[in-house]
C-alpha cells in the first residue's frame, strides 16, 4: 500500500515538474489561468504613469532590488573628478560671489544686491549646464553640485537663484529637445544673462500631481507680430515659480488641445512645454511669494488669451503633447543635483559651526561639547553629514556617467533634505540662544528657516517617499515586474510566461538566500574588501536580499492595492533609501582611502542606516494585511528578531570627539563650504577664536589639576589664575593668553540686539538698524 502511495505522489510531482519545466506544455496548461488572475491583480497604469516609468534610467537601485548587489561594480565605478577649469571656478568666481553676499543684508533688503546680480550674470552662473559652444560653462554635474553646495553654505537665496536655471529650466530642455533654431537663439542669450529664465509648472490645482495641470493651450490661427500664423491661445495661472518675478523667459507646461484638428486626428494632445517671452500682452508677472522669509525671487504668474506661434513649443510643433516625457527625463537629472547639494551645504555649515561652538562655549566650567547630552547630537551631525555628502558625490557621478537615475534622484532628494532637517535641528539645539536670536551673527537661522523649502519643492517628500521611491522603484528596478505588466498590457502570453516563471524562480532563490544570510548575519556573503568595509557590505547584502523578498511578497499579496497602501510603500522606500545611503558611505570610504581616520564616521553612518532598514522592514511585516505571509517573512528575514541597536554610545562619543579635537576631521567633513574672513561676525570670528580658546583650555586644565591637588577648588576662576601664576603653575604669558581667550570667547558667543526702530516695519528704519552685542551668560 505504501509503495502504491509513494508511486502516486512521485507521479504527481513528476507531472507538475514536467508542466513547469517544459515551456510549451506549461504555456498550454498553466500559464493561461495565471495570466487571467494576474490581469485582474496587476495595477492599471495611466498614460502619465507609463511615461514616468519609462523616463530616465535605472542604476545602483536595480542592484539593491536584486537581492544580490554586485559590490565590486559599485567600488569600481569611476566618479569623475573636477577639472582644472571647474576647480578654478570654485576657487575664483564662486569664492568671490560668497564674499560679496551679505546674507543678513539680503534678508533685510529682500533681494540680492544689484552688484551680486550683475556678477552672477557676468560670470555665467546661470549657464553651468550650457555647453561652451553656446557661450556657457559646460560644467559636469559634479561641478554644478559643488558650486551649489558652496553657495548654500553662504546664502540660501544665492544658491537657489543659481541652481534653478541649471536644473529644471529652459536651458536643460533646450539642450535635449530644442530645435537647432531655438538652441542657437536662446542658449547664447541665457548664457550671457540676457534672458532670466523660470519654469512655470506648479499651479493651484497641480502640485506634486503636475500632470493634473489645468493650464490650457488651444491650437488655432491668429495674429503674431503682424502676421497670420498657426499657433496656440494660452491661459494659465501658476504659483511658486522661482525667478518668475524677474524672469524674461517663461518655460510653461500646459495641456494642449486641438479641437479643430489642425495638427492631425487627435483633439487631446497632452502636456506640452513652450518658451514664452514674459513681455507678451496678457501675461501678469512680477508679484512675489514670501517663502519663509528667504528672499529668493519666487512668485505667481498668469496668462490670459496669450497667443504664440506653434514654433514656441520646445522642439517645435512635432513635440506637441510630449511635455510630460520631457519633464520626467529632465527632472531626474536636475533633482539629482540641486537639492542634495543645497542640503549638504547646510549640513556642512552646521558641522563646522557646532564643532567650534561646542568647544568655545562653556557651562559649569567645561566646554559644552564634553557633556554626553551634547555628544549625542554632535555624533548625529557628523555621521549624517558624512553620509549625505557621500550620496551627493556618488549621484552626481552617476549623472556624469550618462545616467538619468529616476528612482535614485528621488531617493537622494528626499532623504538628503530630510537628513538636512535633522542636522540643522540638532545644531540649533546645541547653539541654544545663539541660534534663535536673529542677526548677522546668527550662523544657522537662515539655513534652518529654509529647510522646509527643500523638503517641499521638486516633489514634496511625503509623496516622493510613498509614490515614487518604491511605487516606481518596485516596477522600474525589479528584474521582472515591469516585463510582467507590459506582457499583460500587450496580451502577450509567451512574454508573460517567461517573465512570470522567471519571477517565481527569483523569489524562491531569494527566499533561500535571505534565510541563509539572516541565520549567519551575512557573514558568509561574498563581498570585496576587508575590515569594516567588508563587515558592512555583508550586512547590506543580507538586507538587500531581505528587502527584495519583502517587496515581492508585498506586491504578490496586495497586487494593485499596493499603490494605495502608502504607509507600506513609504516604509519600503525608507529601506531602499537607507540601503543607498549606506552604499554611498562605503563607496566614499573606499575612494578616499581614509582608513582609520574615517572609520568612526563610516561605522556610525552604516550603523544608523542599517538600523533604519531593520525598522522599515519590520514595520512592513507588522502591518502587512496578509498575516500568514508576514509570519513566514519574519521567520525568513528576521529569525532572531528584527531589532538592530544602531550606533553605540561609545561610537557616538568617538565621532563627537573627532569634531571637537581633530581639526583635520572637521576640515575634511566641511571641505566644500565657504569659510568667511576672520574679521566677519559669525563663523569668521568663531574660526579665528577657536585655536586660542582650545589652547587656553589646556592651560585652564593644568590650573584645575593643580587646584584639585591642593584642595583649592573654592577659588573663583580669576582668583585661581592669579594663584596659578604666583605658584608657578602657569607663566605670565599663559595667564595673558587665557584672559585674551576669555575676552574673545565672550565676543563670539554674544548675539545681536537692535534699536526698537528695527521692528517698526519701516524699510528705512530696518535697513538703518545696527545690531549691538547682548551677552548671553
Amino acid at each position: 500500500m505504501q509503495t502504491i502511495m509513494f508511486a502516486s505522489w512521485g507521479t504527481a510531482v513528476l507531472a507538475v515538474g514536467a508542466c513547469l519545466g517544459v515551456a510549451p506544455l506549461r504555456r498550454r496548461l498553466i500559464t493561461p489561468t495565471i495570466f487571467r488572475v494576474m490581469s485582474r491583480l496587476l495595477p492599471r497604469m495611466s498614460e502619465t504613469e507609463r511615461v514616468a516609468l519609462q523616463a530616465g534610467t535605472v542604476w545602483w537601485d536595480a542592484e539593491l532590488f536584486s537581492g544580490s548587489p554586485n559590490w565590486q561594480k559599485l567600488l569600481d565605478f569611476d566618479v569623475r573628478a573636477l577639472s582644472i577649469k571647474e576647480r578654478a571656478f570654485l576657487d575664483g568666481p564662486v569664492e568671490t560671489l560668497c564674499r560679496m553676499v551679505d546674507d543678513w543684508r539680503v534678508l533685510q533688503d529682500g533681494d540680492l544686491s544689484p552688484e551680486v546680480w550683475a556678477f552672477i550674470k557676468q560670470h555665467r552662473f546661470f549657464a553651468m549646464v550650457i555647453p561652451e559652444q553656446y557661450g556657457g560653462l559646460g560644467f559636469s554635474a559634479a561641478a554644478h553640485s559643488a558650486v551649489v553646495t558652496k553657495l548654500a553654505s553662504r546664502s540660501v537665496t544665492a544658491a537657489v537663484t543659481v541652481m534653478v536655471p541649471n536644473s529644471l529650466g529652459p536651458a536643460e530642455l533646450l539642450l535635449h529637445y530644442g530645435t537647432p533654431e531655438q538652441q542657437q537663439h536662446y542658449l547664447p542669450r541665457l548664457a550671457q544673462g540676457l534672458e532670466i529664465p523660470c519654469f512655470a509648472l506648479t499651479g493651484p490645482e497641480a502640485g506634486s500631481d503636475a500632470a493634473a495641470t489645468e493650464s490650457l493651450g488651444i491650437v488655432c490661427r491668429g495674429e503674431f507680430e503682424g502676421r497670420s500664423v498657426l499657433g496656440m491661445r494660452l491661459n494659465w495661472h501658476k504659483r511658486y515659480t522661482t525667478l518668475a518675478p524677474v524672469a524674461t523667459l517663461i518655460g510653461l507646461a500646459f495641456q494642449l488641445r486641438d479641437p479643430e484638428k489642425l495638427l492631425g486626428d487627435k483633439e487631446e494632445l497632452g502636456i506640452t512645454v513652450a518658451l514664452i517671452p514674459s513681455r507678451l500682452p496678457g501675461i501678469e508677472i512680477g508679484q512675489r511669494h514670501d517663502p519663509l522669509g528667504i528672499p529668493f525671487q519666487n512668485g505667481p504668474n498668469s496668462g490670459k488669451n496669450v497667443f504664440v506661434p506653434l514654433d514656441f513649443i520646445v522642439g517645435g510643433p512635432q513635440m506637441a503633447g510630449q511635455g510630460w516625457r520631457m519633464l520626467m527625463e529632465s527632472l531626474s537629472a536636475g533633482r539629482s543635483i540641486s537639492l542634495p547639494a543645497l542640503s549638504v551645504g547646510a549640513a556642512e555649515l552646521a558641522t563646522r559651526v557646532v564643532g567650534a561652538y561646542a568647544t568655545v562655549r562653556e557651562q559649569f566650567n567645561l566646554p559644552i561639547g564634553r557633556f554626553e547630552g551634547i555628544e549625542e547630537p554632535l555624533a548625529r551631525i557628523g555621521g549624517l553629514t558624512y553620509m549625505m555628502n557621500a550620496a551627493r558625490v556618488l549621484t552626481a557621478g552617476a549623472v556624469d556617467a550618462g545616467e538619468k537615475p529616476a528612482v535614485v534622484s528621488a531617493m537622494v532628494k528626499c532623504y538628503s533634505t530630510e537628513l538636512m532637517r535633522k542636522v540643522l535641528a540638532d545644531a540649533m539645539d546645541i547653539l541654544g540662544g545663539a541660534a534663535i536670536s536673529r542677526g548677522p551673527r546668527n550662523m544657522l537661522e537662515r539655513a534652518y528657516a529654509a529647510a522646509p523649502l527643500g523638503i517641499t519643492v521638486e516633489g514634496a517628500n511625503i509623496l516622493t517617499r510613498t509614490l515614487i521611491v518604491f511605487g516606481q522603484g518596485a516596477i522600474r528596478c525589479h528584474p521582472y515586474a515591469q516585463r510582467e505588466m507590459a506582457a499583460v498590457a500587450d496580451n502577450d502570453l509567451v512574454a508573460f510566461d517567461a517573465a512570470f516563471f522567471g519571477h517565481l524562480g527569483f523569489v524562491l532563490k531569494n527566499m533561500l538566500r535571505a534565510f541563509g544570510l539572516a541565520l549567519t548575519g551575512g557573514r558568509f556573503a561574498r563581498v570585496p574588501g576587508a575590515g569594516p568595509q567588508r563587515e558592512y557590505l555583508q550586512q547590506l547584502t543580507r538586507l538587500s536580499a531581505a528587502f527584495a523578498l519583502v517587496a515581492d511578497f508585498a506586491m504578490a499579496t496586495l497586487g494593485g492595492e499596493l499603490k494605495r497602501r502608502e504607509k507600506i510603500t513609504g516604509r519600503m522606500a525608507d529601506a531602499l533609501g537607507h540601503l543607498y545611503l549606506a552604499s554611498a558611505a562605503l563607496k566614499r570610504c573606499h575612494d578616499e582611502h581614509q582608513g582609520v581616520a574615517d572609520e568612526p564616521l563610516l561605522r556610525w553612518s552604516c550603523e544608523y542606516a542599517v538600523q533604519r532598514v531593520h525598522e522599515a522592514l519590520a514595520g512592513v511585516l507588522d502591518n502587512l494585511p496578509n498575516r500568514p505571509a508576514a509570519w513566514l517573512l519574519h521567520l525568513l528575514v528576521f529569525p532572531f528578531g528584527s531589532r538592530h541597536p544602531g550606533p553605540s554610545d561609545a561610537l557616538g562619543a568617538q565621532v563627537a570627539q573627532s569634531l571637537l579635537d581633530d581639526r583635520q576631521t572637521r576640515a575634511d567633513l566641511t571641505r566644500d563650504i565657504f569659510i568667511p574672513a576672520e574679521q566677519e561676525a559669525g563663523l569668521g570670528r568663531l574660526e579665528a577664536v577657536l585655536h586660542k580658546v582650545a589652547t587656553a583650555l589646556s592651560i585652564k586644565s593644568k590650573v584645575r589639576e593643580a587646584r584639585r591637588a591642593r584642595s583649592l577648588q573654592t577659588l573663583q576662576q580669576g582668583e585661581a589664575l592669579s594663584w596659578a601664576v604666583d605658584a608657578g603653575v602657569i607663566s605670565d604669558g599663559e595667564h595673558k593668553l587665557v584672559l585674551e581667550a576669555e575676552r574673545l570667547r565672550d565676543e563670539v558667543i554674544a548675539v545681536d540686539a537692535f534699536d526698537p526702530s528695527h521692528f517698526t516695519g519701516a524699510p528705512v528704519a530696518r535697513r538703518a538698524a545696527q545690531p549691538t552685542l547682548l551677552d548671553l551668560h
Side-chain angles (χ1 to χ4, degrees):
M1 186 70 181
Q2 286 182 335
T3 303
I4 295 172
M5 188 170 67
F6 279 124
S8 299
W9 275 105
T11 301
V13 170
L14 288 172
V16 172
C19 289
L20 294 176
V22 180
L25 187 61
R26 184 180 68 216
R27 286 198 291 266
R28 181 177 299 176
L29 301 177
I30 298 175
T31 304
T33 301
I34 299 172
F35 185 84
R36 286 192 294 272
V37 172
M38 294 295 286
S39 296
R40 293 193 298 271
L41 289 177
L42 288 175
R44 299 294 176 185
M45 283 191 293
S46 67
E47 179 62 17
T48 54
E49 288 176 314
R50 185 188 64 78
V51 171
L53 286 170
Q54 291 177 349
T57 61
V58 294
W59 183 59
W60 186 246
D61 42 343
E63 291 287 337
L64 295 173
F65 253 95
S66 73
S68 181
N70 183 349
W71 295 108
Q72 196 61 56
K73 175 182 175 183
L74 178 67
L75 299 180
D76 290 343
F77 176 70
D78 185 21
V79 176
R80 173 178 169 176
L82 298 184
S83 68
I84 295 174
K85 176 186 173 185
E86 290 168 342
R87 177 55 63 187
F89 189 79
L90 271 174
D91 295 338
V94 178
E95 189 79 9
T96 301
L97 178 57
C98 287
R99 287 197 299 269
M100 291 176 68
V101 174
D102 178 346
D103 207 35
W104 177 249
R105 179 61 59 197
V106 170
L107 192 65
Q108 302 309 297
D109 293 345
D111 196 3
L112 300 170
S113 69
E115 294 78 15
V116 167
W117 275 103
F119 188 86
I120 287 172
K121 294 176 184 180
Q122 177 188 352
H123 291 273
R124 296 174 290 172
F125 278 84
F126 290 157
M128 287 189 284
V129 301
I130 297 176
E132 291 179 281
Q133 70 187 84
Y134 298 109
L137 295 174
F139 281 174
S140 64
H144 177 187
S145 176
V147 170
V148 174
T149 299
K150 193 165 193 173
L151 289 177
S153 72
R154 179 59 162 175
S155 166
V156 173
T157 299
V160 172
T161 300
V162 166
M163 80 186 191
V164 167
N166 288 287
S167 55
L168 180 59
E172 180 80 10
L173 294 169
L174 284 167
L175 283 170
H176 294 291
Y177 310 105
T179 65
E181 293 78 14
Q182 289 172 339
Q183 292 172 342
Q184 291 294 337
H185 176 74
Y186 280 118
L187 290 176
R189 293 180 60 79
L190 289 166
Q192 296 169 47
L194 299 176
E195 301 279 8
I196 302 296
C198 70
F199 194 83
L201 179 60
T202 301
E205 74 294 333
S208 295
D209 183 13
T213 181
E214 293 178 5
S215 300
L216 183 62
I218 301 295
V219 178
C220 60
R221 290 198 170 274
E223 292 286 328
F224 187 79
E225 295 181 347
R227 55 194 175 94
S228 177
V229 296
L230 185 60
M232 308 168 287
R233 194 164 301 281
L234 301 167
N235 287 275
W236 76 88
H237 182 67
K238 303 288 188 178
R239 60 184 183 183
Y240 309 146
T241 306
T242 297
L243 295 185
V246 294
T248 62
L249 184 65
I250 304 170
L252 182 68
F254 56 93
Q255 293 282 359
L256 184 61
R257 293 177 184 167
D258 185 9
E260 298 180 44
K261 297 185 179 180
L262 297 173
L263 298 181
D265 296 332
K266 292 175 63 177
E267 288 190 24
E268 299 291 337
L269 299 179
I271 293 178
T272 300
V273 176
L275 297 182
I276 312 297
S278 64
R279 59 178 168 75
L280 294 181
I283 295 177
E284 291 187 14
I285 198 167
Q287 286 191 315
R288 294 179 63 178
H289 298 309
D290 183 0
L292 289 175
I294 308 301
F296 60 90
Q297 294 283 342
N298 182 279
N301 61 96
S302 62
K304 185 174 181 180
N305 293 325
V306 179
F307 181 80
V308 296
L310 287 176
D311 288 343
F312 281 32
I313 295 173
V314 176
Q318 65 270 25
M319 294 300 285
Q322 299 299 308
W324 187 241
R325 176 175 64 85
M326 294 159 61
L327 293 174
M328 290 299 97
E329 291 179 348
S330 297
L331 183 60
S332 64
R335 191 165 51 189
S336 299
I337 298 167
S338 54
L339 288 171
L342 186 145
S343 300
V344 169
E348 287 195 9
L349 172 64
T351 302
R352 189 87 178 196
V353 168
V354 297
Y357 191 85
T359 297
V360 170
R361 184 73 165 111
E362 290 188 9
Q363 290 288 274
F364 309 105
N365 294 319
L366 277 177
I368 62 173
R370 303 303 170 185
F371 294 93
E372 285 196 359
I374 300 294
E375 269 188 358
E376 190 173 16
L378 270 176
R380 281 196 297 267
I381 289 169
L384 294 179
T385 299
Y386 180 86
M387 185 164 58
M388 289 166 63
N389 202 21
R392 175 190 73 86
V393 172
L394 178 61
T395 308
V399 175
D400 281 330
E403 301 288 345
K404 291 185 176 180
V407 175
V408 165
S409 71
M411 282 194 293
V412 76
K413 181 269 172 183
C414 178
Y415 293 100
S416 291
T417 53
E418 291 292 346
L419 295 181
M420 169 186 65
R421 177 158 59 179
K422 291 180 185 290
V423 166
L424 288 170
D426 278 334
M428 294 285 286
D429 286 349
I430 291 172
L431 266 66
I436 63 172
S437 299
R438 300 177 68 206
R441 290 173 178 81
N442 192 315
M443 298 165 277
L444 297 176
E445 172 248 332
R446 269 86 73 194
Y448 180 75
L453 304 179
I455 285 163
T456 302
V457 302
E458 291 191 16
N461 281 4
I462 288 177
L463 293 181
T464 298
R465 172 178 174 262
T466 56
L467 297 181
I468 299 177
V469 174
F470 185 75
Q472 289 189 13
I475 300 170
R476 289 296 309 273
C477 305
H478 194 284
Y480 296 101
Q482 192 167 14
R483 289 161 56 187
E484 289 169 329
M485 294 179 71
V488 168
D490 295 339
N491 201 30
D492 188 336
L493 188 67
V494 174
F496 175 81
D497 176 84
F500 179 82
F501 284 98
H503 191 167
L504 184 61
F506 173 76
V507 172
L508 293 173
K509 179 181 176 182
N510 259 340
M511 288 177 69
L512 295 173
R513 181 177 176 79
F515 185 57
L517 291 170
L519 287 176
T520 62
R523 291 181 182 86
F524 300 109
R526 295 181 181 179
V527 297
Q533 176 182 291
R534 180 178 180 83
E535 172 191 341
Y536 288 113
L537 288 178
Q538 288 176 326
Q539 287 197 49
L540 295 185
T541 299
R542 175 209 166 178
L543 291 174
S544 172
F547 170 82
L549 186 61
V550 173
D552 269 316
F553 268 67
M555 288 190 287
T557 58
L558 289 169
E561 181 70 14
L562 179 60
K563 71 178 182 179
R564 288 179 289 277
R565 295 281 187 155
E566 294 172 16
K567 296 173 187 175
I568 287 177
T569 59
R571 293 185 183 104
M572 294 300 294
D574 291 342
L576 182 61
H578 286 90
L579 283 170
Y580 182 77
L581 289 170
S583 301
L586 287 159
K587 170 67 171 169
R588 173 178 181 172
C589 185
H590 172 270
D591 286 357
E592 294 182 357
H593 309 292
Q594 291 292 328
V596 175
D598 263 9
E599 186 172 324
L601 289 164
L602 174 69
R603 284 191 175 277
W604 195 99
S605 299
C606 289
E607 288 292 336
Y608 174 89
V610 167
Q611 181 187 38
R612 293 301 182 271
V613 177
H614 274 260
E615 288 179 353
L617 294 181
V620 172
L621 301 187
D622 289 343
N623 293 279
L624 199 64
N626 189 317
R627 299 315 300 156
W631 297 331
L632 175 60
L633 284 171
H634 262 298
L635 175 65
L636 292 174
V637 302
F638 296 130
F640 305 118
S642 59
R643 181 179 179 275
H644 185 86
S648 67
D649 289 349
L651 179 58
Q654 281 184 272
V655 173
Q657 293 311 309
S658 70
L659 293 185
L660 298 172
D661 300 334
D662 189 338
R663 297 180 69 181
Q664 189 59 50
T665 295
R666 181 167 166 268
D668 287 344
L669 265 180
T670 61
R671 63 192 174 204
D672 304 293
I673 68 172
F674 172 74
I675 307 299
E678 290 186 356
Q679 65 271 20
E680 183 176 313
L683 182 57
R685 293 300 297 145
L686 183 61
E687 288 285 318
V689 168
L690 176 61
H691 178 65
K692 287 189 176 181
V693 170
T695 303
L697 284 173
S698 65
I699 299 170
K700 289 161 67 175
S701 177
K702 187 163 53 172
V703 173
R704 194 161 44 247
E705 291 298 322
R707 289 168 58 197
R708 187 179 295 114
R710 303 177 196 187
S711 301
L712 297 173
Q713 290 94 327
T714 57
L715 290 176
Q716 296 297 314
Q717 179 167 292
E719 296 172 327
L721 288 172
S722 297
W723 166 83
V725 173
D726 293 339
V729 176
I730 62 174
S731 67
D732 283 334
E734 288 176 316
H735 184 201
K736 291 177 181 177
L737 191 151
V738 171
L739 294 178
E740 174 66 4
E742 290 296 306
R743 184 188 68 77
L744 293 172
R745 179 184 66 82
D746 289 349
E747 174 193 333
V748 297
I749 68 171
V751 299
D752 297 299
F754 300 89
D755 185 272
S757 63
H758 179 75
F759 301 97
T760 63
V764 174
R766 290 181 67 83
R767 282 198 293 271
Q770 296 297 318
T772 59
L773 294 181
L774 176 64
D775 194 342
L776 276 190
H777 64 216

